[in-house]
Amino acid sequence: MKSLQQTLAALQPADRTVYRQAEEAWGRVAKPLGSLGLFEGMICRLAAAQRRVPPSLDRCDLVVFCADNGVVAEGVTQTDARVTNVVAKGLCSGEASVSKMAEVAGVRVHPVDIGMRDDLPELPLIHRKIAHGTRNLAEEPAMSREEAVRAIEVGIELAETLAAEGSDLLLTGEMGIGNTTTSSAMASVLLAVPPAEMTGRGAGLSSEGLSRKVEVIERAIERMRPDREDPLGVLAMLGGFDLAGLCGLMLGAAAAHRPVLLDGFIACTAALCAVRMAPAVGSYLLASHLSDEPATARVLDALELRPPIRAGLRLGEGTGAVMAVPLLRMALAVYRGTYTFERAGMDPYRPLD
């Protein structure tokens, strides 16, 4: 397994020459130019990341990082860590929401215990626990820098393993009560935007609960004063093991020349952290949907990504990313088809002024 530093040193951007070749191939397909909208650019990004034309989506793998967050002690959620256990069991049994969707979409699901409060050795999780949940960020740093690095390296390891097994596309998933709080806190610092503008209701808070959530984040930032120029420090102080694992998955995927399809707000925040650590990672990322969390649009703008699905999704677990896979495969089927202007006996469309 590569260390974080080895991975950062090995990272190179996706291949722009391949991107241009993929764009040129779209121009030969017998249809109006650009008529598949965002999906045309997404196929080009897949090709550039994989360094091949056409790209492949034969095997897609969703990694779901499960972890608990000490900040739930502040009453920032409706539920507690028991729900993390329930969903983890559903991921292992195939009963979780994302498991049902992944079965339809042809996506493999890999649930990971990277920091759950409870030990569940009887479950066929990928057991990579760093600690039994993070500490309460309202009172102290959620993780030490060393713990954050170890969690990132778990993500790197999993990306390396799946790439070596032949995965074409990695999808991001997470499960951990309290992780919209950690994500809002991180995004607020990394984008230098007040917490009140970056914090939403998560799985369903009342107005009073939302105010408490904002106050907790404001208090944590005021107490610890994280430096936005130190993304690892921001992650350690305010994040969670799931966010760190996601960050590592993106770093490892980019190092292995594999694209990553992001889910919602939490994954996008982890992506922002990864890009701040290694800007080249950004060329390997694709957005799936615009989450209902209010900060998602700002984070996607910072990542310069446009999501094709705008449906008010906020389920998590990687469901939005999984939902986008069949759409990408349909676009790729058009792209890989042989129905070109030449074969159709048509003059190709020309770009208009």
Side-chain angles (χ1 to χ4, degrees), residues 186-195 198 228 276 298:
M186 284 184 58
S188 177
V189 172
L190 292 173
L191 295 181
V193 177
M198 302 296 283
R228 66 187 297 260
R276 293 291 175 86
R298 290 189 188 227

Side-chain angles (χ1 to χ4, degrees), residues 9 64 68 87-88 100 104 135 142 146 153 157 161 171 176 178 183 200 202 220 239 262 265 291 297-298 325 344:
V64 185
D68 286 303
V87 176
K100 297 298 185 183
V104 174
R135 293 176 283 279
E146 187 269 339
E153 290 177 344
E157 173 202 354
T161 299
L171 286 66
S183 298
L262 303 177
F265 174 50
S291 164
R298 290 189 188 227
V325 168

Side-chain angles (χ1 to χ4, degrees), residues 13 16 24 51-52 84 133 157 160 167 255 262 300 327 333 352:
R16 289 296 303 175
E24 291 169 1
R51 288 160 166 75
R52 60 185 174 189
T84 308
E157 173 202 354
E160 288 179 341
S167 182
L262 303 177
L300 285 170
L327 300 175
L352 299 176

Side-chain angles (χ1 to χ4, degrees), residues 229-260:
E229 302 300 326
D230 176 21
L232 178 58
V234 174
L235 175 63
M237 289 181 184
L238 301 173
F241 293 123
D242 50 352
L243 282 155
L246 288 167
C247 178
L249 187 80
M250 296 169 205
L251 293 169
H257 301 161
R258 294 299 188 277
V260 178

Side-chain angles (χ1 to χ4, degrees), residues 26 36 39-40 43 326-336:
W26 269 125
L36 282 180
F39 291 101
E40 296 194 17
I43 295 302
L327 300 175
L328 283 170
R329 283 181 168 148
M330 284 187 275
L332 182 59
V334 174
Y335 180 80
R336 298 178 71 171

Side-chain angles (χ1 to χ4, degrees), residues 8-341:
L8 293 174
L11 265 168
Q12 296 293 327
D15 194 318
R16 289 296 303 175
T17 299
V18 174
Y19 188 99
R20 288 190 291 271
Q21 291 171 351
E23 277 187 316
E24 291 169 1
W26 269 125
R28 293 190 291 271
V29 177
K31 64 170 188 59
L33 296 177
S35 54
L36 282 180
L38 293 178
F39 291 101
E40 296 194 17
M42 294 176 80
I43 295 302
C44 294
R45 287 179 77 90
L46 290 172
Q50 295 175 359
R51 288 160 166 75
R52 60 185 174 189
V53 177
S56 173
L57 287 174
D58 292 343
R59 174 170 167 175
C60 301
D61 293 88
L62 169 68
V63 183
V64 185
F65 291 97
C66 303
D68 286 303
N69 299 281
V71 72
V72 299
E74 300 295 321
V76 295
T77 66
Q78 274 198 26
T79 55
D80 59 26
R82 287 173 294 182
V83 175
T84 308
N85 291 0
V86 170
V87 176
K89 291 175 182 177
L91 289 166
C92 291
S93 68
E95 293 300 311
S97 299
V98 76
S99 303
K100 297 298 185 183
M101 295 170 67
E103 185 178 353
V104 174
V107 173
R108 304 183 189 205
V109 180
H110 309 272
V112 183
D113 174 5
I114 194 169
M116 293 173 62
R117 182 192 66 182
D118 299 330
D119 291 321
L120 300 174
E122 71 279 8
L123 295 183
L125 293 159
I126 298 173
H127 293 278
R128 296 289 189 277
K129 192 192 299 288
I130 305 300
H132 293 85
T134 56
R135 293 176 283 279
N136 183 354
L137 62 84
E139 299 178 349
E140 58 184 318
M143 299 171 274
S144 68
R145 287 181 77 95
E146 187 269 339
E147 286 174 326
V149 169
R150 285 171 54 204
I152 289 170
E153 290 177 344
V154 168
I156 292 171
E157 173 202 354
L158 292 172
E160 288 179 341
T161 299
L162 291 169
E165 291 177 356
S167 182
D168 296 309
L169 175 67
L170 299 181
L171 286 66
T172 63
E174 40 62 37
M175 179 58 220
I177 300 304
N179 60 11
T180 60
T181 301
T182 57
S183 298
S184 295
M186 284 184 58
S188 177
V189 172
L190 292 173
L191 295 181
V193 177
E197 298 179 33
M198 302 296 283
T199 307
R201 297 177 185 269
L205 284 176
S206 64
S207 296
E208 179 184 352
L210 177 59
S211 296
R212 181 167 54 249
K213 185 176 178 180
V214 170
E215 187 276 328
V216 166
I217 294 171
E218 290 173 338
R219 177 158 37 102
I221 293 173
E222 177 63 26
R223 178 191 295 270
M224 290 183 281
R225 298 189 178 279
D227 179 3
R228 66 187 297 260
E229 302 300 326
D230 176 21
L232 178 58
V234 174
L235 175 63
M237 289 181 184
L238 301 173
F241 293 123
D242 50 352
L243 282 155
L246 288 167
C247 178
L249 187 80
M250 296 169 205
L251 293 169
H257 301 161
R258 294 299 188 277
V260 178
L261 183 59
L262 303 177
D263 190 37
F265 174 50
I266 293 148
C268 290
T269 301
L272 183 61
C273 185
V275 169
R276 293 291 175 86
M277 295 174 70
V281 171
S283 59
Y284 292 86
L285 304 178
L286 298 93
S288 62
H289 73 104
L290 181 63
S291 164
D292 242 10
E293 281 292 301
T296 311
R298 290 189 188 227
V299 177
L300 285 170
D301 284 345
L303 293 169
E304 299 182 351
L305 295 175
R306 295 174 63 195
I309 300 174
R310 293 170 178 257
L313 304 179
R314 52 187 175 84
L315 178 52
E317 302 176 14
T319 49
V322 170
M323 190 176 289
V325 168
L327 300 175
L328 283 170
R329 283 181 168 148
M330 284 187 275
L332 182 59
V334 174
Y335 180 80
R336 298 178 71 171
T338 58
Y339 196 60
T340 62
F341 286 110

